[in-house]
Amino acid sequence: MKMLSSVQCFGGLQNQYEHQSTTLNCTMQFSVFLPPQAADGQKVPVAYWLSGLTCTDQNFATKAGAQRVAAQLGVAIVMPDTSPRGEAVPDDADKAYDFGLGAGFYVDATQVPWNANYNMYSYIVEELPALIEAQLTVSNKRAIFGHSMGGHGALTIALNNPGQYTSVSAFSPIVSPIQCPWGQKALGQYLGEDQANWKRYDAVELIRAGASQLPMLVDQGLADNFLKSQLKTELLEAVLEETGYAADVRYHAGYDHSYYFIATFIEDHLRFHAKYLK
Amino acid sequence: MKMLSSVQCFGGLQNQYEHQSTTLNCTMQFSVFLPPQAADGQKVPVAYWLSGLTCTDQNFATKAGAQRVAAQLGVAIVMPDTSPRGEAVPDDADKAYDFGLGAGFYVDATQVPWNANYNMYSYIVEELPALIEAQLTVSNKRAIFGHSMGGHGALTIALNNPGQYTSVSAFSPIVSPIQCPWGQKALGQYLGEDQANWKRYDAVELIRAGASQLPMLVDQGLADNFLKSQLKTELLEAVLEETGYAADVRYHAGYDHSYYFIATFIEDHLRFHAKYLK
């Protein structure tokens, strides 16, 4: 992997890298915040942040204000892109914001032409941690969190791989892509029309099917325009009630879907993960 | 003035407004963070943030992470644009980033065609505070701070109007536009070639000429690519030494010119201003 930039921030380093991904068959960029403790040669734990629709590795890096607390806690943050990229990567015919580039949905696509590149699930679970743990001063202690489509990604990846993550959290997640228009559009094209194949990418279905318990925190703004139509947090609450799966689901009056909401509560999420990463 | 958007953040409101500016002869946008205390009907003091070259009212709002501490301190932050805007506003012939749109340099232009619109000095000193103090729950207690070109703006505006501001601070300011290429290019066109007319817009010259003392804090990164060629902090240090004007000038190893530097030290600046605003 090649370093594209490195900028000092809160005593640590905000770095951007590029590498050739074998899982995604394209050149990918990602960002990493390394806290000051990593410069002392100490292997620090990692929180993986998965962004939402239209984002790149830069949105969270520049807007969330996470570096201050991550530097205090000694936690690295890895910020991947949200889809494969490049001229050779197929995109939505209409360049829609909710499918194709910027909208990988953290699945492994099975349908032509998407299956050649759109394998974000395996990229996040396998390729990226292996690369980062081999090349940076980080440990194999991992937490995972994200926003919106990335909240869906964090929940489903953690529920499918509970031994690999100490904890999971999400802002404004799509809790059940099977039951919302964004999910139906994307999963239908990436995975085909048989919804039986979508269930492993649906947090509500994974909990219903008996996923192992791991520490889980979910924050949702009540002024979020997507709450009723797409995110449907009540479906998560219902399956938690139904199964006895424990999660802290918090609603916040007045907050919307933006990075201003994330910035307001990011400290809570980092402190939540740090408890389990240590 | 018309509200364009209002988003909750750290218990306060991040708002964007539009108004017809009589000083700039165009429609202007600006952003305001109102801390939670303002919603209680309490008139809160205001810190004016002046951004650097190429910025709009959005850069600081989204990247500096200032709302957290401003909410704690009960200080509003006003974020103006960096130049007049609109199709009727003349721009640099080459659309250069360092003159014209996005590069008002916080002066009142005297030269045709710039003098019809490029009056950012009077806009910041007079029109904008009058508008904000009439329409929002803010007091007339004002601090001013900024970055790069906006650091120059903050310093020169405070030095010219010491009774109107309780304190001033700057990140990576252009301390003497008379003595750097950015300043020479912009002031030569906005003000004409007679440098005698530039001195009221040059912090070093204003301090040399006996400006009144007010609390002043300056932060400068030592890995800033513009330090030697444009910012020249050493010229400020020399005139402070020469005149006995008191200012806290701090250098930070490893930090560059970016918002990652601003985010790291913005809490210090807000706490510095809050001491004098209360």
Side-chain angles (χ1 to χ4, degrees):
Chain A
M1 68 195 215
K2 183 173 111 185
M3 187 185 282
L4 300 177
S5 65
S6 181
V7 178
Q8 194 158 295
C9 182
F10 287 98
L13 292 171
Q14 182 66 44
N15 296 342
Q16 191 181 38
Y17 302 91
E18 184 177 271
H19 74 122
Q20 187 61 31
S21 166
T22 53
T23 310
L24 305 177
N25 287 310
C26 65
T27 303
M28 291 293 287
Q29 295 184 354
F30 62 91
S31 290
V32 179
F33 176 69
L34 288 170
Q37 295 82 349
D40 305 336
Q42 185 183 327
K43 286 198 170 191
V44 296
V46 181
Y48 285 82
W49 172 265
L50 305 186
S51 281
L53 290 166
T54 76
C55 289
T56 68
D57 63 311
Q58 289 293 294
N59 301 63
F60 184 81
T62 59
K63 294 184 172 181
Q67 294 92 346
R68 181 182 62 89
V69 181
Q72 287 173 14
L73 297 172
V75 172
I77 306 177
V78 172
M79 294 150 260
D81 204 342
T82 55
S83 77
R85 299 273 181 186
E87 295 197 2
V89 174
D91 191 12
D92 182 70
D94 300 324
K95 309 265 178 207
Y97 76 99
D98 57 359
F99 183 72
L101 297 184
F105 270 85
Y106 306 103
V107 302
D108 284 348
T110 57
Q111 304 299 297
V112 175
W114 316 109
N115 58 353
N117 304 98
Y118 285 79
N119 300 307
M120 288 297 291
Y121 178 87
S122 292
Y123 179 69
I124 301 297
V125 174
E126 291 168 16
E127 186 177 4
L128 195 56
L131 180 72
I132 283 161
E133 290 164 19
Q135 304 223 10
L136 301 176
T137 51
V138 302
S139 73
N140 61 2
K141 285 276 201 180
R142 304 173 195 150
I144 191 160
F145 59 160
H147 174 235
S148 194
M149 175 184 76
H152 143 74
L155 292 173
T156 53
I157 285 172
L159 289 165
N160 277 310
N161 304 278
Q164 286 192 50
Y165 300 94
T166 58
S167 48
V168 59
S169 74
F171 292 85
S172 331
I174 300 168
V175 301
S176 182
I178 290 178
Q179 299 182 67
C180 79
W182 278 341
Q184 289 157 3
K185 176 179 177 179
L187 273 52
Q189 292 183 80
Y190 290 134
L191 305 175
E193 289 306 323
D194 182 357
Q195 294 199 355
N197 298 325
W198 304 10
K199 290 191 174 181
R200 64 181 283 235
Y201 300 115
D202 186 296
V204 164
E205 293 296 331
L206 288 166
I207 292 171
R208 180 169 292 133
S212 300
Q213 179 72 54
L214 78 171
M216 183 181 289
L217 168 64
V218 174
D219 275 333
Q220 177 61 52
L222 288 171
D224 184 327
N225 285 333
F226 300 113
L227 174 53
K228 289 191 178 160
S229 57
Q230 303 279 6
L231 309 176
K232 304 189 179 184
T233 320
E234 73 276 8
L235 299 173
L236 176 64
E237 288 202 287
V239 78
L240 293 174
E241 176 74 23
E242 177 189 324
T243 58
Y245 198 99
D248 190 3
V249 180
R250 311 188 306 181
Y251 290 96
H252 302 277
Y255 285 91
D256 74 356
H257 200 66
S258 71
Y259 264 91
Y260 292 115
F261 172 51
I262 298 172
T264 301
F265 296 102
I266 194 68
E267 178 163 359
D268 290 358
H269 285 239
L270 287 164
R271 293 194 184 282
F272 166 78
H273 290 300
K275 269 193 300 185
Y276 302 102
L277 285 167
K278 294 304 167 75
Chain B
M1 68 195 215
K2 181 174 111 184
M3 186 185 283
L4 301 177
S5 65
S6 181
V7 178
Q8 193 158 293
C9 181
F10 287 99
L13 292 172
Q14 182 65 44
N15 296 343
Q16 191 181 39
Y17 302 93
E18 184 177 271
H19 73 122
Q20 187 61 30
S21 167
T22 54
T23 310
L24 305 177
N25 287 310
C26 64
T27 302
M28 291 293 287
Q29 295 183 354
F30 62 90
S31 290
V32 179
F33 175 70
L34 288 170
Q37 295 83 350
D40 305 335
Q42 187 183 326
K43 286 197 169 192
V44 296
V46 181
Y48 285 82
W49 172 265
L50 305 185
S51 281
L53 290 166
T54 76
C55 289
T56 68
D57 64 310
Q58 289 294 296
N59 302 63
F60 185 81
T62 57
K63 293 183 174 181
Q67 294 92 345
R68 181 182 62 89
V69 181
Q72 286 173 13
L73 297 171
V75 173
I77 307 176
V78 172
M79 295 150 258
D81 205 342
T82 55
S83 77
R85 299 274 179 185
E87 294 199 0
V89 175
D91 190 13
D92 182 70
D94 300 324
K95 310 265 177 205
Y97 76 99
D98 56 359
F99 182 72
L101 297 184
F105 269 86
Y106 306 101
V107 303
D108 284 347
T110 58
Q111 305 299 296
V112 173
W114 316 109
N115 57 354
N117 305 99
Y118 285 81
N119 300 308
M120 287 297 292
Y121 178 87
S122 292
Y123 178 70
I124 301 296
V125 173
E126 293 167 14
E127 186 178 3
L128 195 56
L131 180 72
I132 282 161
E133 289 163 21
Q135 305 223 11
L136 301 176
T137 50
V138 302
S139 74
N140 61 2
K141 285 276 201 181
R142 305 172 195 150
I144 191 162
F145 58 161
H147 174 234
S148 195
M149 175 183 76
H152 143 76
L155 292 172
T156 54
I157 284 172
L159 289 165
N160 278 310
N161 304 279
Q164 286 193 49
Y165 300 93
T166 57
S167 48
V168 60
S169 74
F171 291 86
S172 331
I174 300 168
V175 301
S176 183
I178 292 177
Q179 300 182 69
C180 78
W182 279 340
Q184 290 158 3
K185 175 178 178 180
L187 272 53
Q189 293 183 81
Y190 289 134
L191 305 174
E193 290 306 323
D194 183 357
Q195 295 199 353
N197 298 324
W198 303 11
K199 290 192 176 181
R200 63 180 286 235
Y201 299 116
D202 186 297
V204 164
E205 293 296 332
L206 289 166
I207 293 171
R208 180 170 292 131
S212 299
Q213 179 72 55
L214 78 172
M216 183 182 288
L217 168 65
V218 175
D219 275 331
Q220 177 60 51
L222 288 170
D224 185 326
N225 285 333
F226 301 113
L227 175 53
K228 290 194 176 157
S229 57
Q230 303 279 7
L231 310 175
K232 303 189 179 183
T233 321
E234 72 277 7
L235 299 173
L236 176 64
E237 288 203 285
V239 79
L240 294 173
E241 176 76 22
E242 178 189 323
T243 59
Y245 197 100
D248 189 4
V249 180
R250 312 189 303 182
Y251 291 95
H252 302 277
Y255 286 91
D256 74 357
H257 200 66
S258 72
Y259 265 89
Y260 291 114
F261 173 51
I262 297 171
T264 302
F265 296 103
I266 194 68
E267 178 163 0
D268 289 1
H269 285 240
L270 287 164
R271 293 192 184 283
F272 167 78
H273 291 299
K275 268 192 302 187
Y276 303 100
L277 285 167
K278 292 305 167 77

